[in-house]
Amino acid sequence: MTNSHEAGARPGRPLLWLPVQTAVVVALGLLVTGPLAHRWPLSAEDGVNRVLAARRTPFATALTDGASLLASTESVIVLTLVCTAVLLLVPHAPRWREAAFLAVAVAAQSAVFLLVTLVVNRERPDVPHLDPAPPTSSFPSGHVGASVALFGGLAVLASRRLHGVRRHLVTGLLLAIPLLVAFSRVYRGMHHTSDVVAGLLNGACTLALVAAALLPRPAEEAAPPAPFAHSTRRAVVVRHPRACGDGTAARVRTLLRDHGYAEQRWTETTAGDPSGALASCLGGIHPELVVVCGGDGTVRACADVVAGTGIPLAIVPCGTGNLLARNLRLPTDPVAALREALRGQAVGLDVGRIRGDGIAPTRFAVMAGAGFDAAMVRDASARLKERLGWAAYVVSAVRHLGDARMRLSIRLDGGAPLERRARMVVIGNVGTLQGGLPLLPEARPDSGRLEVVLLDPRGVTGWLAAAGYLASRAPGGRRQRASGAGTAGTAGTRSLAHGSLEYFDAARIDLRFARPQPRELDGDVFPAGTRLTAEVEPGALRVWLPAPAEADAPARAGIPARAGVPARAGALAGADAPAGAVPPAPEDIPTRAGTPARSDVPARAGGEGGGHGHRDARTAAQ
């Protein structure tokens, strides 16, 4: 499916044709029951019903009974609700647009049917009826129209998602159901032939209009001709085998080929190597692009390898949370995210580098946390994550609401340590969680800083204050004045929501815990420990992002204006940067297998010890 990023480009104007469709069906009904009633072929319809009634068999009666029951009002409503729920709860990528398409198609067809029966009044065939006759006109067939809207809608979705023999088999079976229902209604004496034909047309026209209004056009699904289509470019694709199914992988392969990446090397992640041996792949073919098909953990592992190499990364979000993709406002559909990104440009983004006892130096692109946050990630059920997606973390979080507070000290940019108690600490390169919840509202992946939040709610009142404050900052939330706002003795520190939330920002953060605490990086659990040190690496990771909005185009912003990613003129690795250019990166980025060391990488701007002034100076300098 596509997300709101694409929705604005597809207004629902085709739905305005539904009244016209209703008028046309009404006109057909009045002709069928009026001047054309005694003309051929309508004059022969009663004979068809009588022949079928005379030749009924137990097998055909049982078969048509099942088909008629399948298309009954109750069955269609239940099946529509079930299919819609499945589309919304599908792991990794809920299909909001497709779920809306199916629900609206069924509802719109029913509305047209009811309006027509208010005007057209046609008696049912004069043969024994095998079903109770509803108090509506025989024209058009409501059962047939509903079956076309439901099963035809499912066939449309299947044709867009499946490939090969499976696509033809599934769509063929789904499309056969309305035809079986149409035959059943005539066989059982409930409708004339023209009634079921009108039902088929009503359902098909409704499907076409709703699909045109709510689903992407085929042209939007296909990749546009690329300016480098005649060149041969190399790409390494890292695939999480469970998160990225065969169908998605096939579409990614085709999309990359259409964009000129004819030479592709695919590698799969394992439990022991979440980057899929990416380092050795880079040394083997020297690619122009690395594509990551997986969740935040897979993206983190691959970003740790490619950061500082100048090789751009493209994200195909297939994980449970996909927080980095959400913060960068990529479409939630995996292939759509890749397609939109390849239409844009490579942009330099910050990453965080973290180390601690039991954690070798590694990078993260989203967030690192300890305490409640890490325990929630650690104890989330794998089975629930497959079934519920990120909602599984909510279930896990409830189990840890009563966990004891931890004692810690925090040192910012080498300053004096600050002693605190908290339930969790989160260091963020980006700040928005699922559902648009802004845990770290000041975190930006091009700021040259990391944001830190300490969560320390006291009792039910504290939890409600923290939740209310964060919810008010979410998109569409009603902003509330932060209770207890003030400083905590350090520049850049903010204490909010009656002290339940305390924020800091720095280029380097040192954390010490009185007792070992569970820790996580971008959704991956690491061993419990007592130390964490995080540093920002400004612009070290090049990521393909969709082109800026048209309103931002004159500014030539290196990063499109999107949630958590401000537009910046002259940002790192902007549109004018040559292909393969290496963005500014810190001198101390570790050299990896297959990645040559660079002596010409400029030193990180700002160094340690800067506050918000560092951010302003850095932005102005660029």
Side-chain angles (χ1 to χ4, degrees):
M1 78 168 253
T2 51
N3 68 350
S4 58
H5 174 76
E6 296 173 324
R10 294 299 318 279
R13 292 181 181 177
L15 295 180
L16 299 177
W17 285 92
L18 286 174
V20 177
Q21 175 186 328
T22 305
V24 171
V25 179
V26 167
L28 289 175
L30 295 178
L31 289 174
V32 167
T33 57
L36 300 181
H38 301 292
R39 294 178 178 271
W40 191 90
L42 297 179
S43 60
E45 287 188 316
D46 289 336
V48 174
N49 289 105
R50 286 192 292 269
V51 169
L52 291 176
R55 299 183 178 181
R56 288 171 179 166
T57 64
F59 173 77
T61 300
L63 178 64
T64 58
D65 180 52
S68 189
L69 178 63
L70 187 63
S72 66
T73 301
E74 296 82 1
S75 299
V76 169
I77 291 176
V78 170
L79 289 173
T80 301
L81 292 175
V82 170
C83 293
T84 301
V86 169
L87 288 169
L88 293 178
L89 296 177
V90 63
H92 314 310
R95 318 284 187 184
W96 297 97
R97 293 280 292 275
E98 295 178 351
F101 157 72
L102 192 63
V104 172
V106 173
Q109 181 281 144
S110 300
V112 173
F113 163 74
L114 291 174
L115 290 174
V116 172
T117 58
L118 293 176
V119 180
V120 179
N121 185 18
R122 191 183 196 189
E123 297 295 330
R124 297 189 182 274
D126 187 18
V127 296
H129 300 160
L130 298 184
D131 294 326
T136 54
S137 170
S138 180
F139 183 97
S141 172
H143 281 64
V144 174
S147 67
V148 172
L150 175 57
F151 298 105
L154 291 174
V156 169
L157 298 182
S159 68
R160 298 165 65 91
R161 293 294 171 188
L162 302 179
H163 301 275
V165 176
R166 187 169 58 170
R167 175 185 182 184
H168 299 298
L169 180 62
V170 172
T171 55
L173 290 175
L174 289 170
L175 292 176
I177 294 177
L179 297 177
L180 177 59
V181 171
F183 170 77
S184 300
R185 300 304 288 170
V186 177
Y187 173 90
R188 301 178 70 79
M190 305 308 299
H191 290 287
H192 304 279
T193 304
S194 57
D195 300 336
V196 299
V197 171
L200 290 170
L201 292 175
N202 179 37
C205 291
T206 304
L207 269 184
L209 292 177
V210 176
L214 299 181
L215 294 180
R217 296 182 178 93
E220 293 174 349
E221 288 287 344
F228 40 78
H230 298 292
S231 63
T232 299
R233 301 168 72 88
R234 297 176 299 275
V236 172
V237 184
V238 180
R239 175 191 176 193
H240 190 295
R242 293 184 62 187
C244 179
D246 292 340
T248 299
R251 295 171 65 200
V252 167
R253 192 184 305 273
T254 301
L255 183 60
L256 288 173
R257 188 179 299 115
D258 291 342
H259 277 76
Y261 294 95
E263 185 177 345
Q264 302 175 26
R265 179 169 180 178
W266 286 65
T267 180
E268 292 190 354
T269 66
T270 64
D273 189 352
S275 70
L278 176 59
S280 61
C281 293
L282 297 185
I285 69 171
H286 305 291
E288 287 89 357
L289 176 68
V290 171
V291 180
V292 184
C293 304
D296 287 316
T298 307
V299 173
R300 183 201 66 79
C302 294
D304 188 31
V305 175
V306 303
T309 67
I311 301 173
L313 195 73
I315 301 171
V316 180
C318 301
T320 303
N322 301 316
L323 286 181
L324 183 59
R326 292 173 187 267
N327 277 269
L328 299 178
R329 293 291 297 278
L330 292 173
T332 55
D333 177 78
V335 180
L338 178 60
R339 180 174 60 248
E340 292 298 316
L342 292 180
R343 291 173 176 172
Q345 60 194 30
V347 172
L349 300 182
D350 304 340
V351 292
R353 190 179 61 185
I354 200 161
R355 65 181 184 272
D357 52 324
I359 300 179
T362 186
R363 295 178 174 91
F364 67 94
V366 183
M367 299 177 188
F372 172 82
D373 172 62
M376 173 189 69
V377 173
R378 180 193 62 196
D379 296 337
S381 167
R383 180 175 299 179
L384 283 181
K385 286 196 290 185
E386 290 183 1
R387 295 181 178 179
L388 303 180
W390 62 267
Y393 292 121
V394 178
V395 177
S396 178
V398 173
R399 298 165 52 190
H400 292 282
L401 289 178
D403 288 358
R405 300 160 66 204
M406 57 184 176
R407 293 174 55 193
L408 72 151
S409 67
I410 178 170
R411 173 180 286 183
L412 307 173
D413 291 331
L418 306 173
E419 301 297 327
R420 294 291 189 270
R421 287 182 179 266
R423 294 187 182 274
M424 81 171 185
V425 56
V426 174
I427 303 170
N429 187 44
V430 296
T432 302
L433 303 179
Q434 288 88 352
L437 193 67
L439 178 63
L440 294 156
E442 298 297 321
R444 298 173 184 270
D446 65 337
S447 65
R449 309 282 286 177
L450 295 172
E451 298 292 324
V452 188
V453 62
L454 299 181
L455 175 67
D456 189 28
R458 310 289 178 87
V460 176
T461 302
W463 281 107
L464 292 177
Y469 176 78
L470 294 175
S472 71
R473 263 57 187 172
R478 183 177 179 182
R479 280 185 180 265
Q480 65 181 46
R481 191 176 183 86
S483 302
T487 61
T490 301
T493 300
R494 307 182 306 285
S495 180
L496 306 170
H498 297 290
S500 298
L501 295 165
E502 189 172 11
Y503 290 96
F504 311 87
D505 73 280
R508 175 187 171 113
I509 300 103
D510 291 283
L511 298 172
R512 298 292 183 270
F513 307 105
R515 295 181 179 179
Q517 298 295 331
R519 299 172 293 182
E520 64 89 12
L521 302 180
D522 290 359
D524 285 340
V525 179
F526 283 74
T530 60
R531 299 194 308 275
L532 279 178
T533 296
E535 297 178 90
V536 69
E537 296 181 351
L541 180 66
R542 295 184 69 208
V543 178
W544 276 97
L545 296 180
E550 186 173 342
D552 300 321
R556 301 300 297 166
I559 301 178
R562 54 191 73 240
V565 187
R568 290 190 299 137
L572 298 171
D576 298 326
V582 180
E587 291 178 334
D588 52 358
I589 296 176
T591 302
R592 302 192 169 271
T595 304
R598 293 182 51 86
S599 60
D600 57 341
V601 178
R604 174 164 39 123
E608 297 180 356
H612 284 292
H614 161 83
R615 178 182 307 170
D616 297 336
R618 180 174 178 269
T619 304
Q622 293 173 340

